[in-house]
């Protein structure tokens, strides 16, 4: 049986290339490599054949992926919808896709620093940050650490900080004892359970597809388990919820991992700069499951953002 992912990957990558992105591998520092999809027109070569990056020529959008997939598998449906009007950047976090480090750090802040350094090399100065799940948690860190870089945020299926009490509530709902039980499945049944929890309505797939996904997508197991362990913080350590950016929470009504109730609480904590919008009949991985409803709302937020930006220039 051919490997489904081996067949699917060039199809997805081909579509994304047609939409105008190209993959780049950049050395962030010795021992740390970033794989990131960037707008083709921002990549040039100098006389020595080295890559030289030019700033984006459209408003930049940064898409930060979930724990279960790499950057492009999480976001290809948004890339296809956005590249006409936006310069889209899709990195793989460390230990996902093609990004790797020999550092022993595992925190979300470490991933945030990694992404910000990559964007600096790519000469991106301002982004709207779009985060899903783990990508949202790293995104909230980025927003705090780099307020000039992160102009506004669109967040789904995520939390500002994964505290012990939020984790306990999710564990109870999901019947697990730690995040890796759900997010690092070792068997076909485990992976089926993850998809069942992550989607409102996941289509039937033959077992060999699940086996293929387990084999190809769940690499760097030791490091990813460490990422999950580093993510959960004591309730008292949770950082403050004051952000200078506008934050648009875009929620799936049927997210069983981080519920709409949790999003409502977050909106209250975030205060006047947060909005909350929800999408029906959708689960945790809402950009994949209900891509057209999600994209419509995302574009709306982005359009409003660029209008404000133009107004800023005028006055
Ligand atoms: C909302 O954003 C403004 C402007 O960046 C900031 O001054 C204010 O403190 C923010 N409010 C909250 C509740 O975070």
């Amino acid at each position: 049986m051919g490997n489904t992912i081996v067949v699917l990957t060039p199809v997805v990558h081909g579509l994304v290339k047609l939409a105008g992105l190209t993959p780049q591998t950049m050395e962030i520092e010795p021992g740390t490599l970033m794989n990131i999809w960037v707008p083709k027109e921002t990549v040039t070569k100098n006389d020595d054949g080295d890559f030289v990056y030019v700033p984006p020529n459209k408003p930049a959008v940064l898409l930060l992926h979930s724990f279960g997939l790499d950057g492009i598998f999480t976001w290809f449906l948004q890339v296809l919808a956005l590249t006409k009007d936006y310069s889209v950047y899709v990195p793989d976090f460390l230990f996902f896709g093609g990004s790797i480090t020999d550092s022993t750090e595992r925190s979300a802040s470490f991933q945030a620093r990694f992404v910000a350094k990559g964007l600096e090399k790519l000469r991106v100065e301002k982004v709207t940050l779009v985060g899903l799940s783990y990508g949202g948690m790293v995104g909230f860190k980025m927003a705090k650490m780099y307020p000039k870089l992160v102009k506004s945020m669109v967040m789904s299926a995520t939390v500002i900080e994964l505290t012990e009490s939020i984790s306990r509530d999710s564990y109870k709902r999901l019947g697990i004892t730690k995040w890796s039980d759900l997010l690092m499945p070792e068997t076909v049944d485990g992976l089926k359970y993850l998809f069942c929890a992550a989607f409102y309505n996941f289509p039937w797939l033959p077992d060999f597809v699940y086996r293929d996904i387990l084999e190809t997508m769940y690499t760097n197991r030791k490091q990813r388990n460490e990422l999950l362990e580093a993510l959960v913080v004591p309730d008292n350590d949770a950082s403050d919820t004051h952000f200078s950016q506008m934050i648009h929470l875009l929620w799936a009504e049927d997210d069983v991992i981080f519920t709409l109730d949790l999003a409502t609480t977050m909106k209250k904590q975030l205060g006047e700069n947060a909005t909350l919008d929800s999408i029906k009949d959708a689960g945790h991985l809402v950009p994949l499951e209900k891509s057209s409803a999600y994209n419509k709302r995302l574009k709306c937020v982005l359009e409003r953002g660029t209008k404000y930006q133009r107004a800023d220039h005028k006055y």
Side-chain angles (χ1 to χ4, degrees):
M1 193 65 69
N3 189 316
T4 336
I5 302 304
V6 172
V7 174
L8 211 55
T9 301
V11 176
V12 169
H13 287 188
L15 285 172
V16 169
K17 283 177 187 164
L18 281 177
L21 297 200
T22 184
Q24 289 289 301
T25 303
M26 303 190 303
E27 189 182 67
I28 301 300
E29 47 198 55
T32 300
L33 290 182
M34 171 182 280
N35 185 65
I36 181 167
W37 289 78
V38 306
K40 254 181 218 142
E41 64 277 8
T42 65
V43 183
T44 59
K45 274 189 182 166
N46 66 14
D47 294 342
D48 298 332
D50 302 325
F51 286 117
V52 175
Y53 300 107
V54 298
N57 55 11
K58 292 175 250 180
V61 177
L62 173 68
L63 305 177
L64 298 182
H65 68 84
S66 64
F67 205 87
L69 301 161
D70 67 12
I72 222 62
F73 267 100
T74 302
W75 293 116
F76 70 97
L77 293 168
Q78 284 64 49
V79 170
L80 304 182
L82 294 178
T83 47
K84 189 169 140 284
D85 297 313
Y86 300 94
S87 294
V88 182
Y89 293 82
V90 193
D92 288 331
F93 288 129
L94 289 162
F95 307 115
F96 294 86
S99 296
I100 197 80
T101 184
D102 56 14
S103 164
T104 55
E105 269 198 74
R106 296 291 179 264
S107 66
S109 307
F110 175 58
Q111 297 276 19
R113 215 155 45 232
F114 166 72
V115 175
K117 281 182 190 165
L119 292 180
E120 193 186 337
K121 281 187 190 289
L122 291 162
R123 300 178 61 196
V124 180
E125 285 177 357
K126 227 170 212 351
V127 294
T128 298
L129 185 156
V130 182
L132 176 68
S133 194
Y134 182 63
M137 297 174 215
V138 176
F140 276 117
K141 296 282 178 210
M142 270 186 81
K144 269 267 154 67
M145 295 159 70
Y146 307 95
K148 285 205 184 96
L149 172 63
V150 180
K151 187 182 69 166
S152 62
M153 301 180 257
V154 180
M155 294 296 200
S156 299
T158 191
V159 288
I160 303 167
E161 191 106 57
L162 192 53
T163 59
E164 283 172 348
S165 61
I166 291 176
S167 298
R168 263 197 310 273
D169 286 349
S170 300
Y171 295 168
K172 223 185 295 165
R173 231 178 357 260
L174 296 160
I176 56 175
T177 58
K178 54 184 185 308
W179 283 111
S180 55
D181 291 348
L182 179 74
L183 295 171
M184 289 305 294
E186 294 181 22
T187 62
V188 166
D189 281 347
L191 186 60
K192 280 184 185 170
Y193 186 68
L194 170 58
F195 284 174
C196 202
F199 292 89
Y200 175 66
N201 202 345
F202 194 74
W204 180 87
L205 290 176
D207 278 1
F208 75 85
V209 176
Y210 285 102
R211 271 196 298 275
D212 290 349
I213 294 173
L214 271 180
E215 254 174 50
T216 44
M217 307 284 270
Y218 289 86
T219 54
N220 297 320
R221 283 187 164 269
K222 178 175 172 291
Q223 293 90 338
R224 286 195 206 175
N225 280 323
E226 290 165 358
L227 292 176
L228 289 172
E229 277 164 31
L231 207 53
V232 180
V233 299
D235 291 9
N236 294 335
D237 291 4
S239 57
D240 81 293
T241 52
H242 185 272
F243 289 85
S244 59
Q245 298 91 344
M246 278 300 294
I247 303 166
H248 304 277
L249 304 172
L250 191 43
W251 233 257
E253 281 189 6
D254 307 285
D255 190 334
V256 294
I257 301 178
F258 300 126
T259 62
L260 188 56
D261 276 351
L262 188 58
T264 309
T265 307
M266 266 170 64
K267 179 182 181 302
K268 282 199 198 106
Q269 287 173 341
L270 291 166
E272 58 184 347
N273 297 333
T275 65
L276 172 60
D277 195 359
S278 62
I279 295 175
K280 271 197 191 13
D281 299 337
H284 190 72
L285 295 180
V286 55
L288 271 172
E289 182 164 31
K290 283 282 179 293
S291 60
S292 59
Y294 177 91
N295 291 351
K296 210 165 104 186
R297 287 170 174 81
L298 176 58
K299 280 186 182 171
C300 212
V301 170
L302 292 172
E303 270 164 36
R304 258 183 282 153
T306 46
K307 260 184 222 139
Y308 287 141
Q309 202 178 18
R310 283 189 201 119
D312 282 351
H313 281 311
K314 215 159 46 189
Y315 297 109

